[in-house]
Amino acid sequence: MNGARRLAGAVVVLAVLAIPPWLLTTLTRAHLPGWPTGTQLRDWLTDPLTPATLATGLIAVAWLLWLGVAYTVTVTAARRLRAGARWVRHLPLPTPWQAAATSIAGAAAITTAHTPTTQPPNPPTPVTADELQHPSATPQTEQGGVVVPGGWLPDDTAHHIAAAAALVWLRRRRAHQPGQPDTDATELTPLPATVTAVQAAIADQPLPPAATTGAMPAPLPPAGIRLAGDGADHAARGLLVTRLLTALRDPTDTTPVIVTSNALTRLLPSVAETVTTIPGLHVVDTLDHAATLLPASSTSSTADHGIPSLVLTAGPATAAPLNLPGARVVTLDAAVPVPTWRVDCNGQTVDHQTGQPRPRMCVLDSTAAADLLAVLAQPTTAASDPAASAPARPINRAQAKIPRQANRISPPTPQRPTEATATAVQLRVLGRPALLIDSKEVAIRRSAALQILVFLAVHPDGATTTQLVQALWPGLPAHTVTGRLYTTLSDLRSTIRATTADQVVVHTEDRYHLDPRTDVDLWRLQAAAHHSATTDVPGSWQAVIDAYTGDLAAGHIWPWIDPPREATRRLVLDAYTNAAAAQTDPHERLRLLQAAIRIDPYNQQLHQLTADQLNALRDSAAAADLLHTHRQRLRLAGILERPISTAR
């Protein structure tokens, strides 16, 4: 129908453009034999209102009307053609993997068409990922690096940032004291926005090779180097973060990172006083002081490992030379006569003397650098050694009645169904997430849809569109991926509608939330924990233990999942610890503590309590072996606290 209408419109336009000039040319040829002569012009000026001049005027008006119509039609057509060309130019083309898959599918279809078979074809397999990647959701990653708000990082640096973020949560797990109220408000604080953006960007990327040299991405010359250009400060921050990551992931690395106080104030004014808690970072006032911090054998050791010390300065605070042995001195001072690299805000680098391009450098603005450095800083008071023989903190039954904490997951407000009125829709988010309808698991085709279900289970009061977008796609402007959220929700609803008429995700008052009738295992766990914390019913903690079937969304590394996952883990650790404290049988108390260690093998307090219980049962060998195993696990994970050597 649309094609016929468009064809009829095209015919009418062509008729309007072609028929009037043909008629005017045919019918007025006798009245306009040619251009007027001088005699005819004098006659027209003497007597303008003659039948011949009136006819000529009417013919001229008709031609002018036709020219106006032709101009309007031409401009409109040109505008539509230009809009169509712009749409084609922005049409998302298939990626090489998608093109290859399409070619293989086409070849398979042709082969199947000419191959006789007695079996019916298999139904198509639903796509398990997010089908075709939306163009607006891809600016986080690019070839060889990751784009974040405020900068660009190479792939290996981004992976090391994600690893450092994981270490932050392992340290928090180690320091938590089960059975006691959390006094540190930062224990469950989400990591900075730049860190979550990096985590989201590399979630599906393979890890870099394990045999990394640890050298800086942009090899610096042996002599001093000056950074200039619009991206000089950004590149200096990138060098600082990259080199500190090397010290974090390589415990044997003893080459220091030295920065002068003027450079630190210039590059990181908002966190200049707090970055001194980062291992391996030394803040000095002069380059003379920097020379005294360099290892005496730095020349030979760095030649073997390829990891020279980094000295970063913003100005020659002293007359000392910039060529410090065993170090790469980077300055931002324009008056220093050393080789210069010009860096733009995207990290593209050119040697100012030769004009040759240099490797792209990591670039970060002050906000992004401060966010990334936050995951490198360690607490100023290191945790005690788990192998120490300090007496364990006693736990009594009164401590089992702990108040609700503001930083814990609060119990959901919706009314959950009772056993008599249980709904057929069940959402399991503890362990492997799954949506079950009439005890049958629903195949959710989009990973983002599964993530939405878990997010709404964690937030029973609901979430706005902006909150969902910021959680699922951090680091991207909300308006660029809102359409993708709507598409994901529409696909999820269609999948559920094919199985049941019940709604799972409801939209009311500009907020998305789960239907209160949905049976969510996390809600039952939180309700049991709240009941146990506010009552003295014997055995109430066992209900929390029974309700916990695994970590929240086990196996998924979504950037927003760590705080609620750790809060949920702490609920069950509190239950085990308080249940053990209420036990009179020492063997049953030991069994509960050992079960808690299996849930969190990094927690120091649980290991100390278990070791004390083993010593009470006269099994000192098992207690020593338990603490030794814990210490080895912390060392392998990279969270065995080392003394912070920071000079100022």
Side-chain angles (χ1 to χ4, degrees), residues 105-122:
I110 295 175
T111 305
T112 306
H114 295 280
T115 303
T117 178
T118 58
Q119 298 293 333
N122 294 326

Side-chain angles (χ1 to χ4, degrees), residues 134 136 465-466 469 473 477-489 512:
H134 195 280
S136 61
T465 298
T466 302
V469 166
W473 299 287
H479 67 277
T480 62
V481 286
T482 302
R484 191 183 188 194
L485 174 66
Y486 295 153
T487 302
T488 302
L489 288 170
Y512 293 95

Side-chain angles (χ1 to χ4, degrees), residues 329-387:
V329 181
V330 178
T331 181
L332 301 173
D333 182 48
V336 180
V338 292
T340 302
W341 286 4
R342 303 199 69 85
V343 189
D344 63 14
C345 291
N346 296 320
Q348 303 294 343
T349 308
V350 176
D351 192 316
H352 183 66
Q353 281 71 29
T354 64
Q356 296 296 322
R358 295 300 179 185
R360 188 175 183 181
M361 301 180 69
C362 174
V363 285
L364 301 167
D365 64 11
S366 58
T367 302
D371 286 353
L372 299 184
L373 290 174
V375 302
L376 304 181
Q378 293 185 3
T380 54
T381 56
S384 60
D385 194 334

Side-chain angles (χ1 to χ4, degrees), residues 442-501:
V442 178
I444 300 177
R445 295 177 294 181
R446 292 174 177 259
S447 60
L450 182 64
Q451 193 174 170
I452 290 173
L453 290 175
V454 179
F455 188 87
L456 295 180
V458 172
H459 301 84
D461 292 334
T464 63
T465 298
T466 302
Q467 291 171 336
L468 284 173
V469 166
Q470 290 176 347
L472 270 64
W473 299 287
L476 293 176
H479 67 277
T480 62
V481 286
T482 302
R484 191 183 188 194
L485 174 66
Y486 295 153
T487 302
T488 302
L489 288 170
S490 176
D491 181 81
L492 176 62
R493 287 168 172 164
S494 299
T495 302
I496 297 174
R497 197 179 302 116
T499 308
T500 180

Side-chain angles (χ1 to χ4, degrees), residues 219-233:
L220 301 177
I225 188 72
R226 181 174 73 90
L227 298 179
D230 296 336
D233 289 7

Side-chain angles (χ1 to χ4, degrees), residues 396-403 528-541 578 582:
N396 51 48
R397 187 64 185 91
Q399 292 174 339
K401 186 178 180 180
I402 61 175
H530 179 60
H531 175 73
S532 300
T534 54
T535 61
D536 290 320
V537 179
S540 58
W541 292 109
N578 289 291

Side-chain angles (χ1 to χ4, degrees), residues 213-492:
T213 62
M216 290 174 286
L220 301 177
I225 188 72
R226 181 174 73 90
L227 298 179
D230 296 336
D233 289 7
H234 294 61
R237 298 186 194 97
L239 282 175
L240 183 64
V241 171
T242 304
R243 186 61 189 86
L244 289 172
L245 282 172
T246 302
L248 179 70
R249 68 177 181 263
D250 186 5
T252 63
D253 179 24
T254 58
T255 57
V257 180
I258 304 172
V259 57
T260 59
S261 56
N262 56 2
L264 188 61
T265 304
R266 170 175 171 175
L267 298 176
L268 299 165
S270 60
V271 294
E273 297 299 328
T274 59
V275 296
T276 54
T277 59
I278 299 176
L281 178 62
H282 300 262
V283 182
V284 299
D285 293 327
T286 66
L287 292 182
D288 288 330
H289 191 188
T292 62
L293 296 175
L294 295 175
S297 58
S298 59
T299 304
S300 59
S301 62
T302 56
D304 296 336
H305 296 85
I307 311 176
S309 301
L310 174 66
V311 178
L312 184 60
T313 176
T318 178
L322 294 182
N323 54 343
L324 298 176
R328 299 293 185 264
V329 181
V330 178
T331 181
L332 301 173
D333 182 48
V336 180
V338 292
T340 302
W341 286 4
R342 303 199 69 85
V343 189
D344 63 14
C345 291
N346 296 320
Q348 303 294 343
T349 308
V350 176
D351 192 316
H352 183 66
Q353 281 71 29
T354 64
Q356 296 296 322
R358 295 300 179 185
R360 188 175 183 181
M361 301 180 69
C362 174
V363 285
L364 301 167
D365 64 11
S366 58
T367 302
D371 286 353
L372 299 184
L373 290 174
V375 302
L376 304 181
Q378 293 185 3
T380 54
T381 56
S384 60
D385 194 334
S389 57
R393 170 183 53 83
I395 297 180
N396 51 48
R397 187 64 185 91
Q399 292 174 339
K401 186 178 180 180
I402 61 175
R404 285 176 53 191
Q405 301 299 311
N407 54 3
R408 300 284 179 88
I409 301 178
S410 57
T413 54
Q415 295 292 331
R416 287 171 299 285
T418 62
E419 293 293 334
T421 61
T423 179
V425 180
Q426 298 174 317
L427 180 60
R428 300 290 175 260
V429 296
L430 298 176
R432 185 181 67 86
L435 178 65
L436 296 92
I437 298 179
D438 294 330
S439 300
K440 295 181 180 179
E441 184 173 350
V442 178
I444 300 177
R445 295 177 294 181
R446 292 174 177 259
S447 60
L450 182 64
Q451 193 174 170
I452 290 173
L453 290 175
V454 179
F455 188 87
L456 295 180
V458 172
H459 301 84
D461 292 334
T464 63
T465 298
T466 302
Q467 291 171 336
L468 284 173
V469 166
Q470 290 176 347
L472 270 64
W473 299 287
L476 293 176
H479 67 277
T480 62
V481 286
T482 302
R484 191 183 188 194
L485 174 66
Y486 295 153
T487 302
T488 302
L489 288 170
S490 176
D491 181 81
L492 176 62

